[in-house]
Amino acid sequence: MVGQDVLVLLVPALPLLGAVLIGTLRKRLSAGLAGGLATTFLAGAFACSVALFLSEHTELGGRTLRLFDWIHVEGMMIPFAFRIDALSLTMMLLVTGVGTLIHLYSIGYMHADGRASTFFAQLNLFCFAMLLLVMGSNLLITFIGWEGVGLCSYLLIGFWYTNPDYNYAARKAFVINRIGDVGMVLAMALLFQQFGTLEYATIAEQAGSLLTGNHLVVLATLLLFVGAMGKSAQLPLFTWLPDAMAGPTPVSALIHAATMVTAGIFLVVRSSVLFELAPVTQDVILAVGTATALLAASIGLFQNDIKKVLAYSTVSQLGYMFAALGMGAYDAAMFHVVTHAFFKALLFLGAGSVIHALGGEQDIRRMGGLRGSIRITYITFLIGTLAISGLPLLSGFFSKDLILAHAYQYSPVVFALLLGGALLTTFYMFRLFFLVFHGSYRGGAHPHESPATMTIPLIILAVLSVVGGVLNVPHLLGGHEAMKHYLSTAAPALGASSLHLAAAVEWTLMGITTALVIATVALTYRRFAIAPTLDGDSSSMPMPKRLLAERWRIDEFYAWAFERPFGWLSTQFHAVGEQRVMIPLMVGFGAITLRLGGLVRRIQTGNASFHLLAMLAGIIIFLLITLLSN
Amino acid sequence: MEQDIITSIRVIPMEHYLMLSFLLFSIGVAGVVFRRNTIIILMCLELMFNSVNLLLTAFSAYHSDPRAQVFVFFIMLVAAAEVTVGLAILVMMKRNVDSVDVNQLNRLKW
Amino acid sequence: MALLALLLIPLLTAMVLLVATPTRYARGIALFSSLVSLALTLWLWSNYQGIPVQALDVEWATAWGLRFTLGYDGVGLLMLLLTALVYPFIIGAGYGERLQHPSMINALLLFTQSFVMGVFTAQNLLLFYIFYELALLPVFFLLLYWGGERRRAITVRFFMYTLLGGLSLLFGAVYCLVQVEGFNGDLSALATLDLPYDTQVWLFWVLFLAFAIKLPIFPFHGWQPDTYTTAPVQGTMVLSAVMLKMGLYGTMRIVFPAVPLGVEHWRDTVIALSLVGAIYAAIIAFRQSDLRRLIAYSSLSHVGVLCAGLFTCNRLGMTGSLYQAFAHAVLAIGMLYISGALKERVGSSEMAAMGGLKARVPRLAVLFMLVLVNAIGLPFTQSFVGEWLMFAGLWQVNAWLSLAAVSTIVLGAIYMLYAYQRVMLGTDKWEIEMNDVSLRDHLVLVPLVTLTFVLGVHPRPILDLVEGPVQVLLTSFPTLN
Amino acid sequence: MSALVLLSVLGVLLLYAGLFGKRTLLAPLGIIGLLATMVVIRSGWMMNVPLVGAMVRFDHFGSVFGQALTLITVLLFIFGIDYYSRVRENVAEQYALIIFSLVGAVLLISYSNLLVLFLGIEILSIPLYILAGGKRDSFRSGEAAFKYFLQGSFASGFFLMGIALLYGSTASLDLATIQASAASASGSSHMLYLLGLFFTIAGLAFKVAAVPFHFWSPDVYEGAPTLVTAYMSTVVKTAAFAAFHRLIAGMELPGAIQTMLVVMTLLTLFLGNIVALRQTQFKRLLAYSGIAHSGFLLLAFLGSDPGAPGVLFYYSITYSLATLGLFVVLTLAKRAANGDENIRIFRGLYRSSPWLAIVTMLLLLSLAGIPLTAGFVAKYQVFLLGIEGGYILTTAFAVAMALVGVYYYVLVIREAFTPREQAPELVVSRLNWLVISFCGLAVVVLGLVPELLRF
Amino acid sequence: MATIFYIIAAISVISALFVVSAKNPVNSVIALIVCFLSIAGHYILLNAQFLAMVHIIVYTGAIMVLFLFVIMLLNLNRASEPMKTLGTRVAAVLSGGLLFLTLVAAIRNGVGISPANDFDPGIGLVRSVGMSLFNEFLLPFEVSSVLFLSAMVGVVLLAKKEGSARASTVEGSAALTEKEL
């Protein structure tokens, strides 16, 4: 078993090693070399994960690998330990696998950048943190990764630090995540007080004794969900994700599409036991998820920045996953996490390739007709688009359909809403696709295909996006939900959700969905492929559309509601609170005493007979005191 | 003669001596406080001392105890010495500021 | 004896420096002495069995309750360790180039070290007070001689304000000595005073005022920002890294045992005040234009949480607070050192004058980031351990207080990152050539950063150190636990 | 007794030495004589026997204070050597007068009869009236002399009235008898006793410059020659307090008098400190700080605690040493700044003569009551007594006032340690250096080892 | 007998008042002399003949002469004193009166001192006073010489003209002080 443990250790250790190594030697390493190192380290991690995946007997429910006592106080014992079970293994595979591809891709993408080695160091560091997050055996370890990925995301978003907007975006991302973390910390505090431990396993055991709706558990889950909101960009904490596109595209692909943003979902799945006990929270999650899905999709409709569109679609997809979680369909959520990781990474990388091809151009209005010049990108991007739109037999189809089915079973209304969201997704994705690749080129650059290091990952991801569905083929299509069964060993709740819809109903649902999607594609084709209708400046749009194009003005609202008041408060506290109150308060005593001294001093008039008089007065007064008090 | 004195002491209650000396004392005090002419202030001081002397003598008579009278004697000596010094200071002051007005002395203040 | 040596080594070295002013070697000598005391302290630590040590007990003026009694328990040792640890850095941090009389400034620093060590080892109420006041004097001269603008006024202000606390402490001490039969001023005997409830209620403030000002917590912090900003870097280091801990230590060592009922009575008030201060200061820090002032307010904010943690009066909170005290010392040194380094390069600590430095001093930027990570309490740094424990402790007192405390991590991120951006990020607009981290910068910052992460990953040693004393303290609050 | 004789003779000797123009002999002669006196007192010759007619009693109290006073006077004389080297004439007379008033002081610390108390006060004061006017050409000096004389005699008028009334009610001038009859005194004669006590205390309060009888002290301190001021603020104050304590120590005071004393203490503490805040003339500042310290001393024997005399002794002696040293420093600085007395003249002192500056700091810290200086121990003991006597609020007030007090001392320290371009060039004669250093060291050593001054 | 007392008392009070209120110093000196003489009368009434004698010699004989001497010397013998502001005067008179009233109030219901029964008429005579003076009050008597010595020296110091030869003035002032006694 020792070999196993070493493997387990290697998984996070390798990226960390890479990060430290590259970080310290970053001056000497060339971009390519650094990239190579980083990729190999992560590939190694991937290999270890695969080995573990093959060798671990997860059907026994996983095991805990305990390294050392981290925080050890009388009454609080937080070991530094890893939990190896189906869930963590899945995530490890996902992180390392997709991570490796994106690293590879980055070699090509960043070759020109002077600080490429720094970039790779941070990228590796991120992977390390992410792995801690998914492998941690208790909330606090997860929290380490949780904050670690936050930090890396901050660093990578603000990678091009000379641009103030990027720095702002980075700070925004970090701060909003921190707001979520408040929830998480409190949740941990509560859970600790409740269970006296933060170990997932122990909590799971003890939670069995609690009955559903225990208000402390509800509170805990709500707080946890606040944390998830922050990480996974759910309403109302989602505004940072679109801005996060400021970072290099691989970063967007890895952090803001494939892995980090799904940490929220992971957290909920991890503590599914608790959420099962808190129906209230589940309803909240469902509501938030659905709302996010729709809102983000609606915003996505009329964005013109290629990466922004993808960002909003990410937010919306995350919404789907949370909706699934809200309905208790953890397996569906995880499934969607995986497939989404494939195709969204693919899309982002494709977008990156496009941007790379056009020398940094991101506005789709100045693209078009690229299908000729960059074929591989074109094809792979098409696959990605089809997958996210959920066309049959592509990975997206299975995962999304599963969620929709659960939605229908839960309530037709939710189903309708989510279906609407799906259609919106299809609409803006194909709008994007057609505007970029069809029609005629509207820009001034000379598009050229990207190097192999970039195209190979594209191809691989494209394949994955196509076949990803086989991981969890429903019974209906002759499969037997492999992934669901696999995951169910980690926690019973993961296997608990069951669809008991009549086959006919499922067929009809699929049929309706597919039909509508295809219709939408046709619509978009007519509007954007043949004769592209481009949007001008948002101010010239009709009202509802303009509101969408301006992202419901949510950023503006936040700025008005929170940022500006905060700045004002800061200034006022200093100008008034300190300068006018606190310091005067301190100096005041002294000043008053001095003033008093100035007054009392006057009685020493220097006139001899006045002094005599004063003495006499004193004597008489004292005399009176004496006689009266006698 | 002696009888007369004894009777006089008998007939005049102690309180009256007290009041008399208090009165003289207060007069002296008031004088010291509100005259400006240093010479007169000195005299008022003497007045104060003498009222005390009177009181002491009265007491000694009533306690029939000579010690108080010795005390009075000493007070007289001290008063003499003090007044000498006082007058000397006064002379010096007159020499410095050609005046004996107390209010002239107000350089030192606050 | 070792304790006496701890007190005497710096003291004598300082004397030597004062008398034979070896201008050129001053810092070297001081550094050496501080390293010696560090070694000594580590030795003490290695021989510490976890039971309080009574090292020295000499008659002084026992007639009125003063004995020269030295000793330490876990917390005292922790504080000693902290002091001994930071002083080499403080002395090393001296930008001797610009300061006149290097020998004198180093002497003064060593004086503070000796007296602070005295505070942490004194086992007699009066002895404690004496050292407590003495530690003030060298700082007074540090400020007066090497301070920035408006130093004359600020120095006296600081001195008076701190002394106000000191005298009130003295009054409290005298009161205890007179009122309680057979109390000889021995700190360990404080727990046996059991004064009546309503006495404790007012006596609490008489005693606590001193430490509330020293720390300082919210309404008593008037002196702090100006002083921190005006004082020379090393002076500020002493104030925030070491002297501040005297406040914490005193509260724990004197107020808690002496007036437990008073503490229970005022606990929520104090926690509330501290947290209000923590948030208030954090908000103010956001818009500060001067790095030093920003650090001052951030320290104020950290201290707020620190004090709140201590006053939870439960194990997690107090342990966390003590651990955080250590973390804060390291953090403060790092932050201040960086501010000094930047000032040396740019010529002012105005952040408006900086920006885009990352391009010029990338390594310094990295180090800054590493220190900053500790400041905003990311996991695997010391601060996280301390803060997590305090948050958990506070939660057990009251969820809302805990929420308030935790909210500081958001605010902290806001102002720290904003500061970092203003200093380091942005377009490189510098014509002047400036050199990246020097050897001295490495020697100071790298060990600090390493320490931060080592103790962040493996906090056991420190936590074990404070476990016993906290246990003892808990017994003085039977009703709370 | 023997001390009295020695001192009187010494005074006369000095006069004659002056008469025959042996200027250089004066100070040495005086110092030798004083040391001799000290030895005699120390040897306790005729200790504790009530002398002729129970007029004086050289008990422990008297002898301890006697030694201290003579010691301080010796220091003063050493200082005087340099101080009077610039005065043309009448040096001998001034020395002699100091000795004479010291005789009064000795009477004050050992009297056991009100007559002697009265004589002592007068013998102490009359030379002072004259010494205050020592600088004959200076207007201020004259004014000081006159004000002192006027208020002094006024006060002694009341004092006499007090004694007379005491005599009236107890038919005795003997201290013990009077104290004894404090308890028994009752009924209507009680009134006389009360009044008598009241006036007597008022008279002594004048000597110790307790508010509201303090008016003379700032003016006189400022106007008088520095050496005389030093003498007044050290020996005279100590002797007066000793006398004061001797008077009320043995008896339990009537409640009325008790309240009067408390009020007086509060007023003294308050006015002394508060007004000192606004002083820019160093001598005047010391005058007010002296008033403030009288307040603390009063607090010491409010509770008529058996420990009081010890504290009184320790406090007044350490205070005297500190002030004496400061006056010497002042004289030097004043010369350097040709006659200015503003505290500004200390600026840059550290630059020009570090040792002097450090000692000055020590002395000021001691006055301020910062730990490890004697001043701290003194104040601390006073607070102890205060609380033991049950005067908790009064003590709290005293503590607050102590804080206020720190401020003006610290200001001076700040001046001394603030760099300045042309630092004052102080010329320090060896003897002065000796005196200053002695005071500085004494203040620290006594602070470290208070036992040295055990009463 | 009593009547004599009251008459003398009246005289002394009136003359005292005159001393305080007289414009011209010389007048108040005269008034003071009268006052002192009346007080001497009281002494005689109280059977303190010795005191009465000394009193007359010292005060009227020496001190008052000295006063006149000085007045003439500095020729202050005109009412050159500008009166004080009304406020101070009123304050002074008030406080004086107040003092008197308080004192009287203090003793309003008697002091309970009645003459000793074994009254020895001889106490006031030179013999008894002398006895106690030279027995139990010997020390003060001796010490008081210091007082005079310092007074003498003081007068020398203060009152002599600048820079005149020392010796002569010493004798001069000594003579002066002799005359006082």
Side-chain angles (χ1 to χ4, degrees), chain B residues 1-2 4-20 22-40 42-44 46-47 49-51 53-54 57-85 87-92 94-95 99-103, chain E residues 1-2 5-6 9 12-13 16-17 19-23 25 28-29 32 35-36 39 42-48 50-51 54-55 58-59 63-64 66-67 70-71 74 76 81-84 88-89 92 96 99-100 103-104 107 110-121 123-124 128-129 132-133 136-137 140-141 144 147-148 151 155 158-162 177 180-181:
Chain B
M1 181 61 185
E2 289 179 4
D4 302 351
I5 294 159
I6 296 161
T7 46
S8 80
I9 293 175
R10 290 232 184 287
V11 291
I12 302 164
M14 186 65 219
E15 287 72 13
H16 289 199
Y17 275 106
L18 271 165
M19 291 201 186
L20 174 59
F22 283 165
L23 190 51
L24 290 179
F25 190 77
S26 314
I27 293 171
V29 168
V32 172
V33 170
F34 93 99
R35 292 306 296 253
R36 282 172 63 173
N37 188 329
T38 322
I39 292 268
I40 297 179
L42 287 180
M43 294 190 217
C44 295
E46 293 304 322
L47 200 54
F49 289 148
N50 274 282
S51 66
N53 291 356
L54 177 57
T57 327
F59 276 132
S60 92
Y62 275 68
H63 295 312
S64 87
D65 165 24
R67 273 185 257 128
Q69 300 200 10
V70 180
F71 197 112
V72 172
F73 175 73
F74 276 103
I75 294 179
M76 287 181 184
L77 305 189
V78 172
E82 213 165 72
V83 83
T84 327
V85 173
L87 285 168
I89 293 175
L90 182 143
V91 172
M92 178 176 79
K94 172 78 178 176
R95 195 166 53 224
S99 149
V100 289
D101 184 351
V102 184
N103 289 17
Chain E
M1 263 343 230
F5 165 75
Y6 291 111
S12 41
V13 171
L17 283 171
V19 171
V20 174
S21 56
K23 282 253 181 297
S28 46
V29 171
L32 191 56
C35 182
F36 285 165
I39 288 177
H42 283 296
Y43 290 156
I44 295 176
L45 271 183
L46 288 165
N47 187 24
F50 170 69
L51 273 190
V54 179
H55 180 75
V58 171
Y59 279 98
I63 298 184
M64 297 332 286
L66 186 62
F67 269 104
V70 172
I71 292 175
L74 312 175
L76 306 166
E81 177 184 12
M83 278 322 267
K84 287 194 176 173
T88 5
R89 264 168 41 226
L99 179 66
F100 177 63
L103 288 173
V104 172
I107 59 160
V111 293
I113 298 177
S114 50
N117 298 332
D118 53 351
F119 182 76
D120 163 20
I123 59 156
S128 69
V129 177
S132 79
L133 176 60
E136 76 184 299
F137 291 96
F141 183 75
S144 57
L147 189 70
F148 288 107
V155 175
L158 297 177
K160 75 172 182 180
K161 286 257 174 306
E162 291 296 325
T177 24
E180 290 164 11
L181 292 176

Side-chain angles (χ1 to χ4, degrees), chain D residues 167-185:
Chain D
Y167 174 80
S169 69
T170 61
S172 155
L173 289 169
D174 183 47
L175 185 60
T177 331
I178 288 172
Q179 290 178 334
S181 54
S184 62

Side-chain angles (χ1 to χ4, degrees), chain C residues 18 60-66 100-101 104 115 126 129-131 133-134 137 140-141 144-145 151-156 159-161 163-164 167-168 170-171 173-175 177-179 202, chain D residues 347 350-351 358 361 365 369-372 376-377 380-381 383-385 387-388 392-393 395-396 399-400 402-407 410-411 413-419 447-451:
Chain C
L18 270 190
W60 189 346
T62 325
W64 33 277
L66 173 55
Q100 63 274 51
H101 334 302
M104 184 166 158
F115 297 147
L126 233 71
Y129 170 78
I130 288 175
F131 281 122
E133 290 295 11
L134 280 181
L137 290 175
F140 175 83
F141 288 105
L144 190 57
Y145 260 74
R151 59 167 181 278
R152 282 166 57 82
I154 289 173
T155 306
V156 171
F159 190 77
M160 292 308 291
Y161 204 48
L163 207 61
L164 162 66
L167 280 174
S168 114
L170 178 63
F171 180 74
V174 175
Y175 184 84
L177 280 167
V178 174
Q179 293 297 318
W202 63 263
Chain D
R347 179 168 297 191
Y350 182 74
R351 278 290 170 74
I358 288 174
M361 179 189 78
L365 287 180
I370 303 294
L372 285 200
F376 166 71
V377 181
Y380 172 75
Q381 286 170 307
F383 296 153
L384 272 178
L385 284 183
I387 291 188
E388 262 163 11
I392 294 179
L393 287 181
T395 317
V399 174
L403 177 66
V404 174
V406 174
Y407 180 75
V410 165
L411 283 193
I413 297 180
R414 185 179 73 181
E415 287 302 326
F417 283 84
T418 306
L448 284 171
V449 196
E451 308 297 322

Side-chain angles (χ1 to χ4, degrees), chain A residues 210-505:
Chain A
L210 296 170
L211 32 80
T212 312
N214 174 329
H215 63 282
L216 278 173
V217 176
V218 172
L219 181 56
T221 45
L222 280 174
L223 289 168
L224 279 176
F225 179 56
V226 171
M229 272 185 196
K231 244 342 148 213
S232 301
Q234 291 304 292
L235 223 56
L237 300 181
F238 71 99
T239 51
W240 63 272
L241 187 53
D243 292 9
M245 295 305 127
T249 312
V251 174
S252 319
L254 179 57
I255 301 183
H256 306 121
T259 55
M260 180 181 98
V261 286
T262 60
I265 290 95
F266 170 80
L267 181 67
V268 177
V269 176
R270 243 310 167 218
S271 32
S272 50
V273 188
L274 298 172
F275 283 87
E276 281 302 299
L277 291 176
V280 185
T281 321
Q282 286 184 308
D283 298 347
V284 174
I285 298 180
L286 176 59
V288 171
T290 320
T292 315
L294 281 172
L295 187 89
S298 69
I299 295 174
L301 290 176
F302 302 106
Q303 298 306 313
N304 288 322
D305 182 317
I306 181 166
K307 288 179 69 179
K308 281 265 161 64
V309 177
L310 293 177
Y312 281 108
S313 93
T314 312
V315 177
S316 136
Q317 295 302 316
L318 292 167
Y320 273 96
M321 302 172 200
F322 273 104
L325 293 176
M327 297 180 291
Y330 300 97
D331 55 330
M334 283 310 294
F335 186 30
H336 198 55
V337 166
V338 176
T339 54
H340 175 263
F342 293 154
F343 57 69
K344 187 50 67 66
L346 171 60
L347 287 169
F348 264 113
L349 294 186
S353 164
V354 170
I355 295 164
H356 188 260
L358 301 182
E361 179 57 68
Q362 295 198 7
D363 189 335
I364 55 178
R365 283 169 300 188
R366 270 183 251 101
M367 299 177 182
L370 298 177
R371 67 173 177 283
S373 45
I374 44 174
R375 269 211 105 60
I376 306 171
T377 315
Y378 169 60
I379 295 164
T380 49
F381 202 91
L382 175 58
I383 294 171
T385 318
L386 292 171
I388 194 175
S389 317
L391 257 71
L393 306 181
L394 294 180
S395 59
F397 169 78
F398 292 98
S399 53
K400 193 179 277 184
D401 191 69
L402 189 54
I403 297 179
L404 287 176
H406 275 288
Y408 183 80
Q409 175 180 328
Y410 187 87
S411 112
V413 183
V414 181
F415 172 75
L417 291 173
L418 291 181
L419 180 56
L423 297 181
L424 291 177
T425 315
T426 322
F427 178 83
Y428 61 70
M429 281 314 298
F430 272 95
R431 165 170 175 274
L432 173 70
F433 176 73
F434 290 132
L435 283 179
V436 172
F437 291 97
H438 288 257
S440 55
Y441 183 47
R442 298 178 290 271
H446 302 294
H448 53 83
E449 184 51 271
S450 313
T453 48
M454 292 171 67
T455 47
I456 291 168
L458 285 179
I459 296 165
I460 299 175
L461 282 170
V463 175
L464 285 173
S465 320
V466 176
V467 304
V470 303
L471 290 176
N472 196 21
V473 183
H475 301 293
L476 194 60
L477 303 180
H480 37 65
E481 302 184 325
M483 186 171 175
K484 176 176 176 179
H485 290 306
Y486 181 64
L487 286 176
S488 60
T489 60
L494 298 186
S497 74
S498 60
L499 274 178
H500 32 69
L501 293 171
V505 180

